[in-house]
Amino acid sequence: MADGDESCAACGATTLVPHLRVSGAVIGEGLVPTTDRFGTALGDIVRCTSCGHMQLDRLPQASELADAYGEAESSDYVDEEAGQRATAGALLDEIERHVAPGALLDLGCWVGFVLAEARDRGWETRGVEPSAFASAYARERLGLEVETAGLFEAELPERHFQAVFLGDVIEHLPDPGGALDRIAALLAPGGVVAIALPDAGSRVARLMGSRWWSIIPTHVQYFTRGSIRTLLEARGYELRAIGTQPKTFSLGYYLGRLGGYRPGVGTALVRGSAAVGLRDRPWTPDFRDRMLVIARPRPTPTPTRSSPAASS
């Protein structure tokens, strides 16, 4: 972990107080998009008294996470392709309310279903994904242009993309502000960043406390609607839209996640749903604890030039 006192990743304040005792997990499965290891993290969670943001009491260095990112491997999203494509379609509907299809960059694109759906809509697509497994799947199975690299290590054209997507990524980053700075340089004038992430200020998160399903080993940031707005504004962005972002999975997938709370229960429920022919039925429950944020860098004011007459 990083040495020294931490400051708030959203507003920079140093007024961080203990919030949830969840320390105890180690990274053993890599940065996978799904897990049932709920309620444990790499450290305890502290809360900023200035803006309400929550984060680990000691943030890891990015280098500490790099190996886990590269080794991440899971077939869960591959098996749930239909639902993932439906979720991607709803996401693109929201993005296209703000920009017309052009060049789309997906940072942390996993196996590439968002990019595949965007390509079908006429977008020029490009992805960056640290996982060797996931990036290979995107290239070899879906025919996408996806580079295996750290999210902000790839060489990318600046001022090129109409949209950059961060899906379940920013909560993993020790330096989310630096990531937004990099994205601002990649966006074309008028371009937007779309960020899908857990909402730690939601009613569900507050009621479940340390047992909330978004407290998992690889999450280091816990944003609220207020703290993500604070971070965006501090980095020169203007918020364009914020709303919930439910995901579509099969009913069996959702029931299986209950095994993270009661081992054996999830398995029994999945078997029961299969017996009545409901296991593979798509389901999009909106627990209102996930958010989709769309923002745009504030335009840089154009310097005015005085006329010779005015300056004489």
Side-chain angles (χ1 to χ4, degrees):
M1 295 294 181
D3 295 327
D5 294 333
E6 296 289 352
S7 59
C8 174
C11 74
T14 57
T15 52
L16 304 178
V17 297
H19 182 60
L20 294 174
R21 296 180 62 86
V22 292
S23 179
V26 296
I27 295 178
E29 58 187 359
L31 180 58
V32 295
T34 59
T35 183
D36 60 5
R37 295 167 63 186
F38 309 134
T40 54
L42 291 176
D44 290 329
I45 296 174
V46 293
R47 179 178 58 82
C48 175
T49 60
S50 295
C51 73
H53 181 67
M54 289 158 271
Q55 62 190 56
L56 296 189
D57 54 357
R58 290 297 180 100
L59 294 174
Q61 300 289 347
S63 59
E64 294 181 60
L65 302 175
D67 289 344
Y69 290 7
E71 295 170 2
E73 184 171 342
S74 171
S75 62
D76 285 347
Y77 273 27
V78 173
D79 297 339
E80 294 284 333
E81 180 172 353
Q84 294 310 294
R85 285 181 176 268
T87 302
L91 163 73
L92 292 166
D93 286 344
E94 292 302 316
I95 291 175
E96 290 170 5
R97 295 178 189 274
H98 301 273
V99 289
L104 170 68
L105 173 65
D106 190 343
L107 291 170
C109 64
W110 196 239
V111 295
F113 292 137
V114 169
L115 293 174
E117 289 294 303
R119 180 181 59 189
D120 292 346
R121 290 177 177 233
W123 287 82
E124 168 200 324
T125 60
R126 186 165 178 177
V128 178
E129 171 54 50
S131 163
F133 159 81
S135 55
Y137 186 96
R139 288 190 300 268
E140 297 166 10
R141 301 292 187 89
L142 301 182
L144 295 164
E145 182 182 355
V146 173
E147 181 176 352
T148 306
L151 298 183
F152 302 98
E153 296 169 1
E155 292 189 10
L156 298 164
E158 295 193 350
R159 298 177 63 81
H160 176 73
F161 298 97
Q162 277 67 49
V164 173
F165 178 51
L166 283 179
D168 295 295
V169 167
I170 199 167
E171 65 270 25
H172 298 269
L173 302 179
D175 182 15
L180 290 174
D181 292 344
R182 173 72 170 130
I183 289 169
L186 299 174
L187 286 170
V192 300
V193 60
I195 308 170
L197 71 162
D199 181 356
S202 65
R203 181 176 177 83
V204 165
R206 288 184 282 110
L207 287 175
M208 296 189 73
S210 63
R211 296 296 287 158
W212 182 40
W213 45 70
S214 284
I215 297 177
I216 58 175
T218 53
H219 286 179
V220 302
Q221 308 288 352
Y222 294 88
F223 286 96
T224 67
R225 291 193 177 206
S227 71
I228 191 67
R229 179 193 293 268
T230 294
L231 175 64
L232 286 164
E233 291 178 349
R235 295 293 172 159
Y237 287 80
E238 56 184 19
L239 186 67
R240 306 294 294 180
I242 187 167
T244 60
Q245 203 260 344
K247 289 184 174 183
T248 301
F249 286 101
S250 66
L251 178 61
Y253 174 89
Y254 275 116
L255 293 176
R257 296 298 96 185
L258 294 176
Y261 295 105
R262 295 286 299 274
V265 171
T267 301
L269 289 172
V270 171
R271 288 174 178 169
S273 67
V276 296
L278 296 177
R279 181 183 61 188
D280 297 325
R281 177 171 293 184
W283 189 32
T284 316
D286 190 354
F287 300 111
R288 306 192 69 80
D289 69 330
R290 285 185 52 77
M291 51 183 163
L292 176 64
V293 179
I294 297 178
R296 172 178 290 152
R298 287 193 292 268
T300 302
T302 303
T304 58
R305 296 182 63 186
S306 301
S307 67
S311 60
S312 62

